[in-house]
Amino acid sequence: VVVHGFEHATKSKSEAWKHHKTVLKQFLTDFTSETSMSLALYTVLHKPIRDHIKQSILLLTKLNEALKEGSEKDVVTSAIKEYVKLESFISQVLDEASITKSLWKSLGYKLTDMLCVPERRLLEDSKKIPISASTNRSDRILLFDDVLVLIQGNSFQSFDLKLVWVDENCREKLAPGLYGIRIVTPEETFFLSAKDLQMKAVWQWKLNQAVRQALNGKRDFPLWGKTDEGTEPPSCRFFTYVFRLEGKFKSASYEGEWYWGKPHGKGTLKWCDGRNHVGDFKEGLEHGFGICLVPRQSEDQYDCYKCHWYEGKMRGYGICEYGNDMVYKGYFKDNMRQGFGILENFSAEHPFKYTGQWENDKKNGYGVWEDKDRGERYIGTWLDDHKHGQGIVVTQSGVCYQRTFHADKMVGSGILLLEDDSVYEGNFTEDLTFVGKGKLSFANGFILEGTFTNKSGQGLQTNGILNTSNEQLDDRITKAQLGLKEFPVEKRWKGIYDQFLEFIHSGCKEETEESFMGFHIQTSKELRKSQEYLFCQRGTEDVSWKIEDILEELVQHQGVESLQSYLEKALKSSLHPLGKLLKALMIAFQATYSGIGANRHLLTMAQEEVKYYAKKIWEFYQGLLQLALDQKGQLPAKCVDGETSDQKAWSVVLPLILPCFYPELFMLYMLYHEREDDLYCQGIVDLSLFPDIKLLEFLDVQKHLWPLKDLTLTTNQRRSLIKDKCFLSSTECLQKLITTVDPREKLEILQKTYEEIESTVSRVVEKDYKLPMDDLLPLLMYVVSRAKIQHLGAEIHLIRDLMDPANQGGLYDFLLTALESCYEHIQR
């Protein structure tokens, strides 16, 4: 009907139809030789169906009248309704076909050629019910069953109904007496305005029904005003669209979820040049987690960004795998690396790893660079991708130096700490050759001060004064500590702390949690799993780590014991914000002090860094708690024990986080006290040759305190030769010192050792006996010599440096001082 199909059929097959006139007469009683063949064919094809439906309705009506009330009658009544609907549907389909046919005849040839499609039907025409588009952009508006068309002269614009949203609230001031409808499409928004409310209502209703039917993929004819079939189309849709207009997405194909004309939800963007983005969208922009592939121009490779996005730009934590074998894990802001991040080059040509601060996509601020080819680590400040400012370089051979750098070049004098404990202060080249004025302090105490030159083939030459008056090792030189003034602890790793502060200031929104605190994730697979955890339905075992539950639990666990238990659990979890913060700090600490960075001249830097971590974690815990209390409208509980924030950090947080940093930290203590521990070990070896009685006598332990009853004899054994029997329980107790990393627990072991010694003595003298210092020291020395604890100097100094200040001046302090005294005696 619409595209003159029957006319074409009869023209092309005119001879054939003449032969079948007798057959046509059987169908059409009023068929004559003058009757139009195309009209006859049209009638033959649709009349039998319509007649069949009418006969079915009559038959079912008679059957319905004959049936009694009941389920059978209900079925027949329902069938009659469906047949009546079908009859109405056919009638309306034919009416639409006739109207559409008339349209194609009235439109110009050019427009008909472009718009005419056999299946397309006209639903409404602005010539029939007047309506106009905003800004005089069209002479005529046509609503078809699949597109909305705006005609202007000989040109037109069409909009696929599947991506058309109809908003009755115009949201724009129109001329008086006009009523508007807002039409939203992926790239354009415009308004249709009618002169009265009824015309607006008709167009709005027809538009909504056309959009709904286009989305459903089937036609129906809802009655005006009925809501069951004629409900409004959904605002959220899934569709594919290619962007045409200038802008960020020009020529890109988007397949995914839409909301009111904009990509919103999950989707995929693909550009012709090979770029594509898969992830979350919000109001037309990338927002949430997404994976973006960007082809590299010079090579057949891609950069792959797995990152969080905010309003169309990368922001928050992400992993970028570049096509040139480099990987960046860290924070982004406005599509640039910003904040704390790690860049690692895995290529064989020049492998390196940078851990530190970024600004405007470049290395800026405090950072650690490891050159794996040269076996060097640079710890210091950067400016625009260059070493700039104060820096410490540690080499694999153990040499360590501190210099000022300017655009990767060393300037001015510095301090060079050599493997043999010699220290050079002055100017030196990149290959560590002394040049110009300098001072060389040898490990034996000699000092050479003068001018150094290094001529080719002649070796190092100097013109200066050698001072041999001091023949003792100077600990201030051999154990010099670097980086303390140059890199204040509060200025290191600001990028990590800033992200956590931003998370708290944002109100700890769940969708920002991974974006700000993602450093527990180190692989792309983990990043994907992390997203699934955040945005999918979780099991009951994980429920307590949802951010709202975390804030709720913080309020409930403010008591001392409850808080300790809660923090221990939180810091171990990679799903709790505090656990994520700790993971990031562990990465930074290991990047600085593990492997090549294990150098005794960095001990104090590392030690104060761990203390500062505890302080910051406590501060952030306080920030989370304050937020939780504010949300509940409660005031923070008063501090009953009167401890300051720093004391709380020391007593509560430090013991919990110390195990995470202990391997690297203890290695530095071992290196720092290596010489003393070697002397101590030699002393232990010498003392271990003594039998028990001889050793007690040698150490001047009073004879009435000797536990001779513990020296059980076997056949042919002399008492004077028995070893490792006296004060055995005390010795075994002290040996547990190396089984824990917590200074508090180490002090408790020391106290138990003291109690065991006192208990043994009380048993020997057969009365309660309180040991005076004069008696305790030789007895403790005996126990220490028999316990044979390795690296005791490192253990003692770690306890001393990291013990709770509240224990200073008490029993623990006294016992630790006694242990230090024993250690020094054994060295001698």
Side-chain angles (χ1 to χ4, degrees):
V1 175
V2 180
V3 290
H4 315 296
F6 297 119
E7 283 86 341
H8 290 307
T10 52
K11 280 177 186 174
S12 60
K13 304 286 183 182
S14 56
E15 292 300 318
W17 294 120
K18 286 175 185 175
H19 297 305
H20 290 89
K21 280 187 178 181
T22 51
V23 180
L24 287 170
K25 282 180 181 177
Q26 293 174 12
F27 286 98
L28 302 171
T29 51
D30 56 348
F31 182 78
T32 65
S33 55
E34 287 79 30
T35 305
S36 163
M37 188 64 70
S38 60
L39 180 63
L41 190 59
Y42 160 68
T43 310
V44 164
L45 289 175
H46 89 267
K47 193 171 183 296
I49 282 187
R50 298 187 79 174
D51 290 346
H52 175 72
I53 291 168
K54 278 182 182 175
Q55 287 168 13
S56 298
I57 291 171
L58 285 169
L59 183 64
L60 286 167
T61 305
K62 286 179 182 177
L63 179 61
N64 197 38
E65 288 169 358
L67 288 170
K68 293 179 182 179
E69 293 294 330
S71 59
E72 289 180 343
K73 185 163 186 170
D74 293 341
V75 171
V76 173
T77 304
S78 174
I80 292 169
K81 284 181 182 176
E82 292 302 319
Y83 270 102
V84 170
K85 273 187 190 176
L86 182 58
E87 188 178 37
S88 171
F89 180 86
I90 291 171
S91 175
Q92 290 181 73
V93 164
L94 288 170
D95 289 345
E96 271 185 5
S98 301
I99 295 166
T100 310
K101 181 179 179 180
S102 304
L103 173 71
W104 298 143
K105 284 181 179 178
S106 66
L107 277 181
Y109 171 76
K110 184 181 176 184
L111 289 173
T112 303
D113 195 41
M114 287 189 284
L115 289 173
C116 183
V117 177
E119 307 85 40
R120 183 169 287 165
R121 297 292 180 268
L122 179 67
L123 305 183
E124 196 51 82
D125 186 346
S126 63
K127 280 194 173 180
K128 181 182 171 188
I129 300 179
I131 199 163
S132 59
S134 56
T135 64
N136 298 318
R137 62 189 291 164
S138 63
D139 304 325
R140 191 174 182 182
I141 300 166
L142 302 174
L143 174 62
F144 291 99
D145 59 351
D146 60 339
V147 290
L148 176 66
V149 177
L150 308 183
I151 297 174
Q152 178 80 48
N154 286 327
S155 63
F156 71 92
Q157 229 181 332
S158 67
F159 302 94
D160 191 325
L161 289 182
K162 290 176 183 173
L163 283 174
V164 168
W165 283 260
V166 182
D167 185 3
E168 62 177 313
N169 300 314
C170 186
R171 301 182 193 180
E172 190 171 279
K173 286 187 178 180
L174 298 171
L178 290 179
Y179 302 93
I181 303 167
R182 190 168 71 108
I183 303 296
V184 178
T185 71
E187 295 185 88
E188 289 186 74
T189 297
F190 56 91
F191 304 91
L192 301 180
S193 53
K195 290 183 179 178
D196 68 49
L197 276 171
Q198 192 173 355
M199 288 179 186
K200 174 194 169 180
V202 170
W203 269 94
Q204 184 185 321
W205 189 78
K206 288 202 171 186
L207 278 163
N208 274 326
Q209 298 320 307
V211 171
R212 179 182 59 78
Q213 291 177 29
L215 289 168
N216 291 342
K218 68 174 187 178
R219 298 296 314 281
D220 54 40
F221 291 90
L223 296 174
W224 171 261
K226 286 200 86 174
T227 54
D228 53 347
E229 290 177 303
T231 52
E232 289 190 1
S235 298
C236 299
R237 304 173 192 174
F238 187 94
F239 203 70
T240 302
Y241 178 79
V242 178
F243 289 89
R244 297 173 290 105
L245 301 181
E246 284 296 332
K248 185 178 179 180
F249 297 156
K250 187 185 178 184
S251 303
S253 166
Y254 173 78
E255 181 183 6
E257 296 170 331
W258 296 79
Y259 181 78
W260 280 99
K262 292 179 179 177
H264 190 95
K266 306 283 183 191
T268 303
L269 267 173
K270 291 182 180 177
W271 282 266
C272 302
D273 60 6
R275 283 179 296 152
N276 68 63
H277 180 102
V278 182
D280 300 317
F281 291 80
K282 184 178 179 182
E283 296 180 3
L285 295 170
E286 304 96 323
H287 191 95
F289 179 69
I291 298 174
C292 183
L293 281 178
V294 181
R296 296 177 76 85
Q297 292 179 349
S298 55
E299 312 148 48
D300 186 22
Q301 292 172 323
Y302 286 81
D303 291 341
C304 180
Y305 296 87
K306 296 160 188 175
C307 187
H308 293 267
W309 300 71
Y310 181 82
E311 294 181 356
K313 293 180 178 178
M314 286 187 286
R315 177 176 168 185
Y317 180 74
I319 296 175
C320 178
E321 295 163 348
Y322 299 101
N324 57 1
D325 289 333
M326 283 202 274
V327 176
Y328 174 81
K329 299 171 187 173
Y331 297 110
F332 290 86
K333 188 175 182 182
D334 295 338
N335 288 339
M336 291 189 286
R337 293 171 290 196
Q338 182 90 5
F340 179 73
I342 301 165
L343 180 68
E344 193 162 2
N345 186 7
F346 293 95
S347 70
E349 286 182 19
H350 183 53
F352 67 80
K353 184 177 182 179
Y354 171 80
T355 305
Q357 191 72 9
W358 294 79
E359 198 174 313
N360 297 327
D361 220 33
K362 292 181 178 178
K363 295 183 276 289
N364 272 293
Y366 182 75
V368 177
W369 170 278
E370 184 167 336
D371 188 325
K372 296 181 181 179
D373 266 353
R374 289 170 62 95
E376 283 184 359
R377 185 174 292 172
Y378 170 85
I379 303 163
T381 53
W382 295 75
L383 181 68
D384 292 341
D385 276 341
H386 297 291
K387 298 171 190 143
H388 195 93
Q390 291 296 320
I392 298 168
V393 175
V394 186
T395 67
Q396 216 158 17
S397 62
V399 175
C400 179
Y401 61 89
Q402 184 171 305
R403 283 293 289 270
T404 303
F405 288 80
H406 184 88
D408 288 334
K409 302 290 182 187
M410 293 192 294
V411 294
S413 61
I415 179 168
L416 174 62
L417 307 166
L418 300 164
E419 316 158 65
D420 64 353
D421 288 336
S422 301
V423 178
Y424 174 78
E425 296 167 86
N427 203 354
F428 49 91
T429 62
E430 283 190 21
D431 61 358
L432 308 184
T433 304
F434 307 159
V435 289
K437 286 186 177 181
K439 176 183 169 184
L440 180 60
S441 304
F442 294 97
N444 62 3
F446 290 5
I447 296 172
L448 176 59
E449 197 165 355
T451 304
F452 295 85
T453 54
N454 190 26
K455 293 180 181 177
S456 179
Q458 295 179 19
L460 181 67
Q461 295 179 334
T462 182
N463 180 17
I465 299 167
L466 178 65
N467 184 347
T468 59
S469 60
N470 186 11
E471 295 188 8
Q472 288 185 337
L473 272 76
D474 188 347
D475 277 359
R476 287 178 302 171
I477 293 173
T478 58
K479 293 186 175 180
Q481 292 297 291
L482 303 179
L484 302 178
K485 290 179 183 176
E486 293 75 19
F487 314 118
V489 68
E490 58 275 4
K491 292 189 178 177
R492 299 176 219 161
W493 314 124
K494 271 185 94 276
I496 297 175
Y497 306 130
D498 288 347
Q499 290 294 338
F500 200 90
L501 271 175
E502 194 174 345
F503 174 58
I504 292 176
H505 291 157
S506 73
C508 296
K509 292 175 185 171
E510 190 171 341
E511 64 269 18
T512 63
E513 185 181 341
E514 287 302 291
S515 168
F516 289 142
M517 297 307 305
F519 257 93
H520 62 290
I521 295 159
Q522 288 296 294
T523 66
S524 302
K525 192 174 180 182
E526 285 178 313
L527 193 60
R528 260 301 176 77
K529 278 186 181 175
S530 170
Q531 293 313 303
E532 289 165 10
Y533 172 82
L534 266 187
F535 300 114
C536 299
Q537 193 65 40
R538 302 176 212 176
T540 51
E541 70 278 8
D542 294 327
V543 142
S544 62
W545 296 126
K546 287 177 72 175
I547 198 68
E548 59 267 27
D549 295 330
I550 287 171
L551 295 176
E552 180 67 36
E553 279 198 70
L554 281 166
V555 177
Q556 296 170 7
H557 294 85
Q558 294 185 66
V560 178
E561 289 182 15
S562 175
L563 172 62
Q564 187 91 14
S565 170
Y566 175 78
L567 284 177
E568 185 175 5
K569 191 168 66 167
L571 289 165
K572 283 180 181 175
S573 170
S574 63
L575 301 175
H576 193 288
L578 291 175
K580 293 175 185 181
L581 173 62
L582 180 60
K583 178 67 178 177
L585 294 172
M586 284 170 63
I587 289 167
F589 191 81
Q590 287 165 2
T592 313
Y593 304 109
S594 67
I596 299 171
N599 189 293
R600 67 175 181 272
H601 301 293
L602 302 179
L603 170 62
T604 311
M605 251 183 93
Q607 178 216 104
E608 66 175 11
E609 207 164 294
V610 172
K611 291 178 186 175
Y612 191 70
Y613 293 162
K615 181 183 175 183
K616 294 304 285 184
I617 287 172
W618 179 256
E619 281 178 19
F620 290 134
Y621 158 74
Q622 294 279 69
L624 286 171
L625 178 61
Q626 187 62 53
L627 182 69
L629 292 169
D630 288 347
Q631 288 182 2
K632 284 180 160 286
Q634 297 180 13
L635 292 171
K638 289 183 179 178
C639 188
V640 181
D641 50 18
E643 282 190 310
T644 64
S645 181
D646 284 0
Q647 288 170 331
K648 278 283 187 186
W650 209 300
S651 62
V652 178
V653 180
L654 188 60
L656 296 176
I657 68 168
L658 193 55
C660 303
F661 308 103
Y662 192 80
E664 291 80 19
L665 190 60
F666 192 67
M667 174 60 75
L668 293 172
Y669 272 98
M670 283 165 51
L671 293 169
Y672 188 85
H673 298 283
E674 189 174 17
R675 188 179 292 106
E676 297 98 310
D677 274 340
D678 284 347
L679 291 171
Y680 155 80
C681 284
Q682 187 55 53
I684 290 290
V685 169
D686 293 344
L687 293 174
S688 66
L689 300 174
F690 287 89
D692 287 357
I693 291 177
K694 285 281 185 187
L695 184 57
L696 289 167
E697 188 177 352
F698 176 77
L699 296 173
D700 287 333
V701 176
Q702 294 189 41
K703 285 193 176 181
H704 69 281
L705 302 179
W706 293 6
L708 298 176
K709 291 179 182 176
D710 293 343
L711 301 177
T712 49
L713 300 175
T714 57
T715 314
N716 300 325
Q717 196 173 25
R718 289 166 58 189
R719 176 180 283 183
S720 59
L721 297 178
I722 293 176
K723 291 169 71 175
D724 301 324
K725 294 293 182 184
C726 291
F727 296 99
L728 185 59
S729 61
S730 308
T731 304
E732 288 173 347
C733 186
L734 187 60
Q735 285 169 337
K736 292 175 184 173
L737 196 74
I738 61 171
T739 62
T740 179
V741 303
D742 185 352
R744 183 175 49 197
E745 290 177 6
K746 288 179 186 286
L747 288 168
E748 286 170 2
I749 289 167
L750 190 55
Q751 184 183 357
K752 284 176 187 171
T753 304
Y754 166 69
E755 289 167 357
E756 281 293 328
I757 294 171
E758 212 166 54
S759 171
T760 303
V761 170
S762 296
R763 181 165 48 82
V764 170
V765 299
E766 297 180 343
K767 64 175 182 179
D768 281 345
Y769 191 84
K770 295 295 175 188
L771 284 167
M773 187 64 171
D774 289 347
D775 286 346
L776 172 63
L777 201 58
L779 284 171
L780 186 59
M781 234 166 110
Y782 173 88
V783 171
V784 169
S785 65
R786 288 301 191 227
K788 299 173 185 169
I789 295 169
Q790 280 191 313
H791 313 296
L792 183 61
E795 293 280 4
I796 290 169
H797 285 89
L798 183 137
I799 298 168
R800 175 66 73 193
D801 291 338
L802 299 178
M803 68 188 275
D804 190 337
N807 292 323
Q808 289 175 0
L811 176 62
Y812 286 151
D813 198 357
F814 164 73
L815 292 173
L816 188 59
T817 304
L819 186 62
E820 284 171 332
S821 183
C822 293
Y823 175 72
E824 287 168 10
H825 274 79
I826 291 170
Q827 285 182 62
R828 291 198 288 269

